[in-house]
Amino acid sequence: MPTDPGSEEITDSTGSIKDLILEQEEAASLIKNRSLLEPNEIVDEERIVGRDTQLTDITQHLRVAISNERPPNLLLYGPSGTGKSLIINAVCQNIVELCENRDIRFGVIQMNCQNVGTLGAAVYELARKVANDIGTTVDVPEHGVPNKKKWRELYRLINDHYDTVVFILDELDMLVGRRDKDEPAFSRLLYQLSRAGSTDEITAQVSVTAITNDTKMMESVGSRALSSFTPEDVHFSDYDANQLREILRAREDAFHEDALSDDVIPLAAAFAAQTNGDARKAIDLMRTAGSIAEKTGADEVREEHVREAQDKVEKNRVLEVTRGISTQKKLCLFATAAVAREAGTGAAKSPIGYRVYQYLTGTLDSDQYHQETYVNKMKELTTYSLVETERKSQGPHSGSYLEFTFGENPETIIETLREDSRLDDVHGDELRTVVNAQLNQ
């Protein structure tokens, strides 16, 4: 039987693939428990740091489930990476165990809404997750049926298998979908789920926990949903550098003993503290720094590995966010980041950003929107934690403007966006000249 010449070449030059895998395993001598370096890993409660108030509040709200009572609806809000999903999952995991001991059928169904396009898709995904949790299948197709049938199937699955169910809707504000009378899809989802217990179609008790980074999400919720959802609010603030150091020290045993130099944890915490106190970023920095150190054959993780990891993590996060946004949002973001870079402050005034946006759309022969639309698109980008907005005054007779402040290095955003070939016609030197001319007016 003929062999693949490519396969022979690999084994001739490097030995067998198994040998290569074993070599790499031997070289990877710094990290011993990679799961502890996964930001979304549900960790033991002794590793949860800096969230005592939120942990107590959520526990008090949800504990009634162990008495077979309906927990209240919750709204968890605050910046990305501040422990919202970590805490709610940790509490629910313990309630599930306590309910099992009391023969109470308590279910927890979590859905991240970021990649769910429509209300119908969201309802089907919830039904699918319930079916997976109880080991059965969904009896209606995903496409080609009215949403009412999907809702009935979801209710049937819940009624047959749960006494109480908590739906955790992560990044709920991302479920915009098709609007109905200017009401976004997430508002209609909240309305249906939160009123489910008051209908004849469902006998189980339903509680909804909405998680969002957008502090103004509830302003977009319709009046019907507001009156039926009425959540208990739990706010999550940024972690400070000290808390981030504690979080990383609580996961230090992910590495072998003496695998970290003394400056690794303080530096990783400091980098994460600069970008909204994001614990996910701090943990990701540690993991990436460890992987870089292993690949280079280092005997420990050192400062230079953290600095290299910082560059890599920033670019990866920006790439992940920008990959899915529209061309117009990319142009708005690119123009604003260019202003922030040249200003040297990491911030850009909206009027200057808009004039640079006009230059970009003219250069690329692209559609050009009014300043109000530019501002709205930049505001929408705040939900990705790339920028923050603040209204400022130019003086008593000059009106006001929005200032956009970047959480990431503007240069990193520009470099990442330049991977889109549609920006090839924007020349770097000319862009800098245009931006500086606007800044010096």
Side-chain angles (χ1 to χ4, degrees):
M1 180 177 175
T3 58
D4 180 354
S7 174
E8 285 183 356
E9 185 178 331
I10 291 173
T11 54
D12 286 346
S13 60
T14 63
S16 73
I17 293 175
K18 284 182 181 177
D19 289 340
L20 186 58
I21 292 170
L22 293 172
E23 271 179 42
Q24 291 174 348
E25 180 191 42
E26 188 176 345
S29 58
L30 300 175
I31 302 174
K32 68 177 181 181
N33 186 352
R34 293 182 189 276
S35 66
L36 280 178
L37 298 175
E38 292 297 329
N40 295 321
E41 176 77 5
I42 299 178
V43 296
D44 299 332
E45 57 190 80
E46 61 267 18
R47 297 182 192 273
I48 298 175
V49 173
R51 286 294 175 256
D52 292 348
T53 299
Q54 291 84 354
L55 183 62
T56 299
D57 287 349
I58 291 173
T59 301
Q60 287 178 339
H61 291 313
L62 296 184
R63 67 174 176 77
V64 298
I66 67 173
S67 299
N68 206 18
E69 296 177 26
R70 178 192 170 276
N73 297 323
L74 300 179
L75 173 66
L76 314 186
Y77 66 97
S80 177
T82 50
K84 301 183 293 295
S85 299
L86 173 70
I87 298 299
I88 188 71
N89 281 319
V91 172
C92 284
Q93 188 177 61
N94 281 274
I95 291 176
V96 167
E97 293 170 6
L98 289 168
C99 284
E100 284 177 354
N101 294 334
R102 299 186 180 195
D103 292 327
I104 297 171
R105 301 178 303 168
F106 177 75
V108 180
I109 304 301
Q110 182 164 14
M111 177 176 72
N112 189 301
C113 300
Q114 183 171 13
N115 297 314
V116 182
T118 64
L119 177 62
V123 179
Y124 185 86
E125 180 65 8
L126 289 175
R128 189 187 65 78
K129 285 180 175 291
V130 170
N132 286 347
D133 187 51
I134 58 186
T136 186
T137 57
V138 181
D139 285 348
V140 299
E142 183 174 1
H143 304 290
V145 296
N147 285 348
K148 281 186 178 180
K149 286 193 174 181
K150 296 176 185 179
W151 279 113
R152 287 195 198 105
E153 176 65 1
L154 175 61
Y155 293 159
R156 180 188 71 78
L157 291 168
I158 293 171
N159 288 337
D160 288 350
H161 297 279
Y162 297 128
D163 298 315
T164 301
V165 62
V166 172
F167 287 103
I168 301 175
L169 307 176
D170 208 347
E171 298 191 79
L172 177 60
D173 52 288
M174 303 301 287
L175 180 64
V176 177
R178 289 191 291 272
R179 289 178 172 264
D180 180 12
K181 297 179 182 177
D182 288 331
E183 189 178 13
F186 66 75
S187 177
R188 304 199 300 281
L189 182 65
L190 276 182
Y191 172 69
Q192 291 285 355
L193 285 177
S194 58
R195 70 182 289 272
S198 63
T199 70
D200 295 333
E201 293 180 283
I202 192 162
T203 56
Q205 302 178 121
V206 176
S207 174
V208 181
T209 293
I211 303 178
T212 179
N213 304 335
D214 184 1
T215 57
K216 297 182 179 180
M217 183 196 78
M218 293 302 291
E219 295 177 9
S220 300
V221 173
S223 57
R224 294 188 312 161
L226 278 175
S227 62
S228 62
F229 181 43
T230 58
E232 300 287 346
D233 293 0
V234 183
H235 177 242
F236 286 73
S237 56
D238 295 336
Y239 289 111
D240 60 32
N242 290 331
Q243 290 172 323
L244 290 168
R245 280 198 293 271
E246 288 183 56
I247 288 168
L248 294 181
R249 289 197 177 102
R251 302 193 186 213
E252 190 174 2
D253 56 332
F255 294 86
H256 288 285
E257 192 173 351
D258 299 325
L260 301 179
S261 66
D262 292 340
D263 49 5
V264 164
I265 286 179
L267 183 59
F271 277 139
Q274 290 170 8
T275 52
N276 302 322
D278 190 332
R280 284 198 188 100
K281 177 172 180 178
I283 296 166
D284 204 21
L285 273 173
M286 290 278 284
R287 179 185 58 79
T288 306
S291 296
I292 290 170
E294 286 184 334
K295 285 178 182 176
T296 57
D299 57 356
E300 65 175 0
V301 186
R302 294 188 288 272
E303 176 185 339
E304 62 262 31
H305 301 128
V306 178
R307 293 190 181 278
E308 186 177 343
Q310 162 75 351
D311 292 338
K312 185 174 182 180
V313 166
E314 273 193 358
K315 287 178 181 176
N316 285 348
R317 196 176 88 80
V318 174
L319 183 62
E320 180 183 345
V321 168
T322 57
R323 182 182 289 120
I325 66 176
S326 67
T327 299
Q328 279 293 329
K329 278 185 183 175
K330 285 183 180 180
L331 292 175
C332 294
L333 184 61
F334 190 87
T336 313
V339 174
R341 177 184 65 182
E342 297 306 313
T345 60
K349 296 179 180 180
S350 56
I352 299 175
Y354 179 66
R355 290 196 290 271
V356 176
Y357 161 80
Q358 287 178 303
Y359 157 74
L360 288 177
T361 52
T363 300
L364 300 174
D365 194 24
S366 175
D367 291 341
Q368 185 175 111
Y369 294 126
H370 295 298
Q371 185 167 348
E372 182 182 359
T373 304
Y374 157 80
V375 167
N376 287 336
K377 288 189 180 297
M378 286 302 301
K379 282 182 178 178
E380 289 172 15
L381 289 167
T382 61
T383 61
Y384 298 95
S385 299
L386 282 181
V387 292
E388 294 181 357
T389 65
E390 183 180 358
R391 185 162 293 282
K392 293 197 171 183
S393 174
Q394 300 186 87
H397 305 295
S398 303
S400 63
Y401 63 90
L402 278 181
E403 183 173 78
F404 301 108
T405 303
F406 285 84
E408 305 288 356
N409 186 340
E411 182 65 47
T412 301
I413 291 173
I414 291 168
E415 289 177 7
T416 307
L417 288 172
R418 276 202 176 277
E419 294 184 16
D420 189 328
S421 60
R422 286 170 290 191
L423 291 168
D424 287 347
D425 291 337
V426 179
H427 300 292
D429 291 343
E430 184 177 319
L431 175 63
R432 287 181 184 273
T433 300
V434 170
V435 172
N436 283 303
Q438 294 298 327
L439 286 170
N440 293 329
Q441 281 188 3

